[in-house]
């Protein structure tokens, strides 16, 4: 489905953030990308979405070279992205955002279901502007609901647990499981959270700008919990899991 070939990305200060990454994201999988802070995970996700353009390498979607396509063009091809710190849209209501994402008018019942899945009451939020009156946790949940509304073939989430309270996080796990089961799309989730890693089909470990390891979710998580990666110039368990 999505293939990254020899991807490199260099920051404006000259730091090599991604170093010759080769990666294939298979259709229909729930894939978790984890690893130490500052290792290149978020940059990798932004390169997949087209927010950042690689300084070298190619990105293929079903064999088509999309390296030079921007965010809007990739969105049209069915790729969604949920930011770690979502963008606010002054003058746009929650209803308008969800309907824009869905490309159609939605009845209140459908909107209620979407918002309920992320722990919000439609009556309290549908007509609210997406502005500074919303907390970080509220805007994060609304953005996740907008990804649900799009039903895209590839959805990328950058640390979706950030700013989410415990009750909503437990619901969020169920949302990811339902998306994986019912929407028949591919999910890529950047996360340190053990409970998210626990539901992944595959875990990819990124550190120091490279793919350090990858494998079936349960097996990879077991290796991490046993501390086998601590000897591979990686990080401790506490750096992996926000405890």
């Amino acid at each position: 489905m999505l293939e990254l070939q020899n991807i490199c990305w260099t920051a404006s200060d000259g730091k090599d953030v991604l170093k010759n990454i080769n990666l294939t994201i298979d259709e229909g999988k729930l894939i978790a990308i984890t690893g130490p802070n500052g290792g290149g995970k978020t940059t990798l996700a932004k390169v997949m979405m087209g927010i950042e353009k690689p300084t070298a390498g190619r990105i293929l979607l079903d064999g088509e070279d999309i390296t030079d396509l921007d965010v809007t063009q990739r969105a049209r091809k069915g790729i969604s992205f949920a930011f770690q710190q979502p963008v606010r849209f002054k003058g746009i209501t929650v209803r308008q955002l969800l309907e824009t994402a869905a490309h159609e008018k939605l009845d209140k019942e459908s909107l209620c279901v979407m918002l309920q899945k992320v722990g919000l009451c439609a009556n309290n939020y549908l007509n609210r502007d997406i502005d500074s009156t919303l907390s970080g946790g509220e805007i994060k949940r609304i953005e996740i609901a907008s990804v649900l509304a799009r039903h895209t073939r590839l959805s990328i989430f950058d640390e979706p647990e950030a700013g989410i309270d415990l009750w909503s996080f437990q619901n969020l796990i169920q949302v990811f499981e339902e998306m994986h089961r019912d929407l028949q799309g591919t999910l890529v989730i950047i996360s340190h959270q053990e409970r998210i890693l626990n539901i992944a089909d595959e875990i990819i470990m990124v550190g120091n700008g490279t793919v350090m390891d990858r494998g079936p979710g349960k097996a990879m998580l077991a290796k991490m919990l046993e501390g086998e990666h601590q000897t591979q110039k990686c990080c401790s368990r506490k750096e992996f899991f926000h405890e």
Side-chain angles (χ1 to χ4, degrees):
M1 182 192 182
L2 189 71
E3 184 178 359
L4 283 69
Q5 299 179 346
N6 305 310
I7 293 295
C8 300
W9 189 84
T10 302
S12 57
D13 62 1
K15 180 182 177 181
D16 293 325
V17 179
L18 300 180
K19 306 170 186 176
N20 201 41
I21 284 184
N22 290 280
L23 202 57
T24 299
I25 304 297
D26 294 326
E27 191 91 34
K29 299 287 188 180
L30 195 165
I31 296 173
I33 299 179
T34 193
N37 291 327
K41 303 183 300 300
T42 290
T43 301
L44 179 60
K46 289 181 177 179
V47 165
M48 289 181 185
M49 186 67 228
I51 298 167
E52 299 289 356
K53 185 176 179 179
T55 51
R58 297 198 309 160
I59 302 173
L60 307 180
L61 180 65
D62 295 334
E64 176 189 356
D65 192 335
I66 64 168
T67 310
D68 293 327
L69 299 189
D70 61 22
V71 175
T72 301
Q73 292 169 316
R74 294 193 198 191
R76 288 173 180 158
K77 289 186 175 294
I79 304 177
S80 294
F81 189 92
F83 289 87
Q84 184 176 347
Q85 296 183 349
V87 178
R88 297 175 188 270
F89 302 93
K90 187 176 181 180
I92 298 178
T93 66
V94 172
R95 177 191 283 272
Q96 290 171 329
L97 177 66
L98 296 179
E99 290 182 337
T100 298
H103 298 291
E104 63 178 342
K105 291 289 184 180
L106 298 170
D107 58 43
K108 187 172 181 179
E109 182 179 355
S110 299
L111 291 164
C112 184
V113 169
M114 289 177 194
L115 291 174
Q116 187 176 36
K117 285 183 176 180
V118 295
L120 298 176
C121 174
N123 288 333
N124 295 336
Y125 286 92
L126 281 181
N127 296 318
R128 288 188 63 177
D129 286 342
I130 303 174
D131 56 20
S132 60
T133 64
L134 294 170
S135 70
E138 288 172 325
I139 194 72
K140 188 64 172 282
R141 283 178 273 181
I142 290 166
E143 184 186 43
I144 292 169
S146 73
V147 174
L148 285 173
R150 286 202 67 206
H151 290 187
T152 49
R153 56 182 306 199
L154 174 59
S155 301
I156 303 169
F157 297 86
D158 186 13
E159 296 198 24
E161 67 272 12
I164 298 289
D165 59 84
L166 180 59
W167 183 87
S168 296
F169 178 66
Q170 291 170 339
N171 277 7
L172 186 60
I173 297 295
Q174 294 177 358
V175 168
F176 289 141
E177 289 178 320
E178 289 176 13
M179 289 180 70
H180 184 33
R181 182 182 66 245
D182 300 334
L183 299 185
Q184 299 180 337
T186 300
L187 305 181
V188 174
I189 306 175
I190 312 297
S191 182
H192 293 275
Q193 282 287 347
E194 184 175 345
R195 282 171 290 178
I196 289 180
L197 302 183
N198 192 52
I199 64 172
D201 296 315
E202 183 176 6
I203 294 174
I204 298 170
M205 188 180 300
V206 173
N208 193 31
T210 65
V211 176
M212 303 182 71
D213 201 355
R214 68 181 299 178
K218 299 297 184 185
M220 281 290 296
L221 185 56
K223 288 173 66 175
M224 293 162 61
L225 292 173
E226 291 167 3
E228 292 183 14
H229 288 285
Q230 294 182 29
T231 60
Q232 299 178 17
K233 296 182 180 180
C234 196
C235 61
S236 70
R237 187 180 192 281
K238 286 189 176 181
E239 288 177 290
F240 271 110
F241 308 121
H242 291 169
E243 299 176 335

